[in-house]
């Protein structure tokens, strides 16, 4: 997507042909900083510290992390060490495991002297594929918004979409998942307005989604996380769209903490609640998302302190709780399939159910039950 006149992806191969550039998302929205990753340790650190974040981008970064690892040492042991290091960075988004399995399964049969080139090639492919997938999610989601917009009888004003966290181009390689349909709808002339949940504690909505939407010129307002229910009760939300970090076989979706409460409020107010996802976010081995998806618990300091720009112009941390209080920081929750109106994938829209998913990914239905 563009920032000013310049097109960006969230990750790309440096001009030197081997190191990998990322947008350091911990500096946004106040500074646009690029960081260069030169080793698998750099890639793992960038995922762990959330300089890169969002399920598809985590997967893409891990793929390049494997390429950086193979460049220095390409024996079997190093494949396993590098993959293990990357897999241990964050537990919830399944795209990480997906990308690493794809890389290791391709690398192992190759002779060591061919592994580095092959790893770069597959990492590049995974990135390009992610862009195509998200563009396609955008097309299917755009059709949905267009239909809802046309069917909206007797209501004037903007078409209001609520989203949670950041599932935009920063969370993927480009386009985004939940935001891709919104960008397309806006570009096609539908007067979209986005309610952006701030998304405590790390404020991915306030910092990243608002930054993306502003750069693209999409009208939006940042709201506190608890405002969505009130807006839905008063007819001010036409549609909710979020992303997901892992979708279980039964259609349960795991996303940023607070998504479940939005889905409950949407259900109570008959507001359609859609989740946008690329195929690699589906965990076909996970039968029941609520019971089985591992939920990352992060540093409590993210709850007790907030990052922001100070009046001096410096970026800093501000303590918001009394000294010595304890906090817990659950980073994700699972929305049961029964609260999800539909899943927007690169292959079309389906119900949030095993049957719905298999109707779009029939090859998974043919595999033996796992
Ligand atoms: O902790 P984060 O910022 O990595 O969480 C990101 C999300 O929850 C996104 O909604 C999800 O990864 C979908 S991104 C297309």
């Amino acid at each position: 997507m563009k920032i000013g006149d310049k097109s960006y992806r969230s990750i790309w191969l440096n001009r030197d042909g081997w190191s990998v550039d990322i947008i350091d998302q911990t500096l946004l929205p106040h500074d646009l900083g690029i960081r260069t990753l030169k080793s698998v340790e750099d890639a793992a650190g960038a995922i762990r510290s959330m300089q890169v974040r969002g399920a598809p981008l985590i997967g893409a970064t891990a793929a390049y992390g494997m390429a950086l690892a193979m460049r220095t040492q390409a024996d079997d042991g190093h494949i396993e060490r590098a993959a293990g290091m990357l897999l241990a960075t964050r537990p919830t988004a399944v795209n990480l495991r997906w990308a690493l399995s794809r890389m290791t399964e391709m690398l192992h049969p190759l002779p060591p002297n061919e592994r580095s080139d092959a790893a770069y090639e597959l990492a590049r492919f995974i990135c390009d594929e992610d862009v195509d997938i998200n563009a396609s999610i955008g097309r299917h989601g755009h059709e949905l918004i267009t239909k809802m917009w046309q069917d909206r009888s007797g209501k004037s004003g903007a078409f209001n979409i609520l989203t949670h966290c950041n599932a935009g181009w920063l969370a993927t390689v480009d386009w985004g998942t939940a935001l891709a349909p919104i960008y397309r709808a806006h570009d096609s002339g539908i007067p979209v307005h986005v309610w952006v949940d701030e998304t405590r504690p790390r404020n991915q909505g306030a910092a990243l989604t608002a930054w993306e939407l502003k750069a693209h010129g999409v009208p939006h307002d940042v709201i506190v996380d608890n405002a969505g229910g009130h807006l839905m009760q008063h007819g001010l939300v036409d549609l909710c769209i979020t992303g997901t970090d892992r979708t279980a076989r039964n259609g349960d979706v795991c996303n940023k903490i607070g998504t479940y409460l939005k889905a409950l409020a949407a259900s109570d107010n008959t507001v359609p609640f859609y989740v946008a996802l690329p195929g690699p976010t589906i965990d076909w081995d996970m039968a029941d998302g609520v019971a089985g998806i591992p939920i990352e618990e992060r540093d409590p300091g993210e709850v007790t302190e907030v990052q922001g720009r100070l009046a001096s112009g410096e970026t800093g941390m501000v303590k918001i709780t009394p000294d010595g209080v304890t906090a817990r920081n659950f980073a994700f929750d699972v929305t049961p399939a029964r609260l999800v109106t539909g899943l927007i994938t690169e292959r079309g829209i389906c119900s949030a159910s095993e049957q719905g998913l298999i109707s779009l990914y029939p090859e998974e239905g043919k595999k033996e039950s796992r």
Side-chain angles (χ1 to χ4, degrees):
M1 301 292 276
K2 284 194 166 167
I3 306 171
D5 288 339
K6 200 167 167 199
S7 286
Y8 279 89
R9 286 184 173 188
S10 60
I11 187 167
W12 63 94
L13 194 65
N14 190 296
R15 261 184 294 186
D16 63 17
W18 67 270
S19 64
V20 178
D21 284 350
I22 55 162
I23 295 178
D24 180 350
Q25 299 190 25
T26 61
L27 303 178
L28 289 171
H30 305 298
D31 297 302
L32 176 62
I34 310 299
R35 184 176 167 216
T36 301
L37 310 178
K38 297 187 171 178
S39 64
V40 60
E41 288 81 8
D42 283 353
I47 298 171
R48 208 179 301 109
S49 65
M50 294 180 63
Q51 288 176 327
V52 289
R53 27 72 47 203
L57 179 56
I58 292 173
T61 308
Y64 268 124
M66 290 301 295
L68 289 165
M70 291 303 97
R71 187 173 174 268
T72 52
Q73 202 183 327
D75 56 274
D76 286 0
H78 200 52
I79 294 178
E80 289 314 311
R81 270 195 304 281
M85 182 194 305
L86 290 160
L87 189 62
T89 51
R90 295 192 72 190
T92 301
V94 78
N95 307 57
L96 185 59
R97 189 184 76 194
W98 170 87
L100 289 170
S101 304
R102 211 164 158 187
M103 295 296 289
T104 53
E105 280 163 23
M106 179 278 295
L107 286 168
H108 270 304
L110 294 179
N113 65 345
E114 291 178 16
R115 286 175 175 169
S116 177
D117 285 352
Y120 275 101
E121 198 181 315
L122 183 53
R124 246 192 317 264
F125 179 82
I126 285 174
C127 287
D128 290 345
E129 183 183 57
D130 182 64
V131 178
D132 291 345
I133 285 174
N134 299 326
S136 193
I137 289 172
R139 281 191 289 276
H140 293 298
H142 177 213
E143 276 171 32
L144 172 75
I145 295 172
T146 306
K147 185 160 183 341
M148 289 184 70
W149 167 245
Q150 286 164 350
D151 289 352
R152 207 174 73 152
S153 51
K155 230 179 136 187
S156 59
F159 187 83
N160 289 299
I161 302 178
L162 183 142
T163 191
H164 192 68
C165 195
N166 172 261
W169 69 267
L170 288 169
T172 63
V173 178
D174 205 353
W175 276 107
T177 57
L179 294 196
I182 294 174
Y183 287 130
R184 288 215 185 252
H186 170 80
D187 292 349
S188 74
I190 296 173
V192 177
H193 166 267
V194 185
W195 296 115
V196 179
D197 284 350
E198 59 178 346
T199 318
R200 283 278 293 142
R202 290 186 65 100
N203 294 316
Q204 289 95 328
L208 306 178
T209 299
W211 182 81
E212 274 195 31
L213 293 174
K214 182 166 183 261
H216 199 83
V218 182
H220 62 281
D221 285 291
V222 177
I223 52 175
V224 296
D225 286 328
N226 294 325
H230 164 73
L231 295 173
M232 291 184 214
Q233 278 177 330
H234 291 274
L236 293 168
V237 182
D238 294 295
L239 169 67
C240 299
I241 313 182
T242 73
T244 167
D245 289 79
R246 193 184 297 223
T247 305
R249 199 178 176 98
N250 67 349
D252 291 351
V253 286
C254 180
N255 192 48
K256 183 53 55 191
I257 192 81
T259 304
Y260 171 43
L261 290 177
K262 293 295 138 36
L264 281 171
S267 169
D268 195 40
N269 292 283
T270 55
V271 173
F273 188 94
Y274 281 85
V275 176
L277 60 121
T281 301
I282 306 166
D283 184 349
W284 295 100
D285 296 330
M286 181 65 67
D288 178 333
V290 175
I293 296 177
I295 301 296
E296 176 179 19
E297 188 169 351
R298 297 183 59 83
D299 183 346
E302 292 181 351
V303 176
T304 58
E305 292 179 42
V306 176
Q307 178 177 303
R309 176 140 285 185
L310 307 172
S312 64
E314 275 173 80
T315 299
M317 303 301 293
V318 178
K319 184 90 185 276
I320 58 167
T321 55
D323 286 337
V325 298
T326 56
R328 297 283 299 271
N329 187 7
F330 303 99
F332 297 94
D333 60 25
V334 179
T335 300
R338 67 186 156 79
L339 297 175
V340 179
T341 311
L343 302 174
I344 308 170
T345 78
E346 72 276 19
R347 296 194 187 178
I349 299 180
C350 68
S351 66
S353 64
E354 177 163 359
Q355 204 187 14
L357 284 168
I358 286 177
S359 72
L360 294 182
Y361 300 88
E363 66 276 20
E364 297 295 335
K366 287 185 200 120
K367 289 183 188 160
E368 276 181 32
S369 63
R370 310 172 196 214

